[in-house]
Amino acid sequence: MALTQTQTVSKLRTLNNTDNIVTEIEVTTQSTDDSDPNTLNAVDRESFAIDYSGGKSASGFVAYESLTQNIILGWISEDLAASSIKTQQAEWIESRKNPPAPSFIYKDLPF
């Protein structure tokens, strides 16, 4: 069956002033196997700090009101690529679908 993985911006932390400069991004990663989406589903959140030292004069600055999901995810694309969350979620789902054989079992007594 197919595994679907999505990453979406779930929170933005900004400086507490009128500039609304983003300082941290929270991303929610969700993995779902369509063979049993209610059981084979994993959700995790990660936060990524943003270098905001350039303020509004930083190259490529985008006003808060003009931000989109794609722009924000683009800022942290390397961090997302380096994250192991998608792999961990896929492995967890696979282990639920095909659990490994137990290391120990109880057997009937031989007598």
Side-chain angles (χ1 to χ4, degrees), residues 3-8 27-33 37 40-45 85-86 89 93:
L3 180 68
T4 303
Q5 295 185 299
T6 58
Q7 292 183 302
T8 56
V27 174
T28 299
T29 301
Q30 181 169 2
S31 298
T32 306
D33 189 295
L40 302 175
N41 184 35
V43 178
D44 290 288
R45 289 174 181 76
I85 290 294
K86 282 184 169 183
Q89 288 181 349
I93 288 172

Side-chain angles (χ1 to χ4, degrees), residues 12-23 52 55-56 61-67 75:
L12 294 176
R13 185 179 72 181
T14 64
L15 292 177
N16 189 17
N17 60 27
T18 58
D19 291 342
N20 289 324
I21 295 173
V22 176
T23 62
Y52 58 92
K56 285 185 165 183
F61 177 80
V62 179
Y64 189 84
E65 302 77 29
S66 299
L67 292 174
W75 291 346

Side-chain angles (χ1 to χ4, degrees), residues 2 13 15-16 19 23 25 34 49 51 61 68 80 82-83 86 88 98-99 106:
R13 185 179 72 181
L15 292 177
N16 189 17
D19 291 342
T23 62
I25 301 166
D34 65 2
D51 177 9
F61 177 80
T68 65
L80 290 173
S83 171
K86 282 184 169 183
Q88 291 172 6
N98 301 301
Y106 287 100

Side-chain angles (χ1 to χ4, degrees), residues 99-105:
S103 299
F104 303 95
I105 60 170

Side-chain angles (χ1 to χ4, degrees), residues 68-110:
T68 65
Q69 183 99 219
N70 287 339
I71 290 171
I72 296 167
L73 292 175
W75 291 346
I76 56 171
S77 60
E78 290 180 15
D79 296 312
L80 290 173
S83 171
S84 62
I85 290 294
K86 282 184 169 183
T87 302
Q88 291 172 6
Q89 288 181 349
E91 289 172 353
W92 181 84
I93 288 172
E94 185 60 31
S95 74
R96 297 278 302 209
K97 286 172 59 175
N98 301 301
S103 299
F104 303 95
I105 60 170
Y106 287 100
K107 289 192 155 209
D108 291 335
L109 294 173

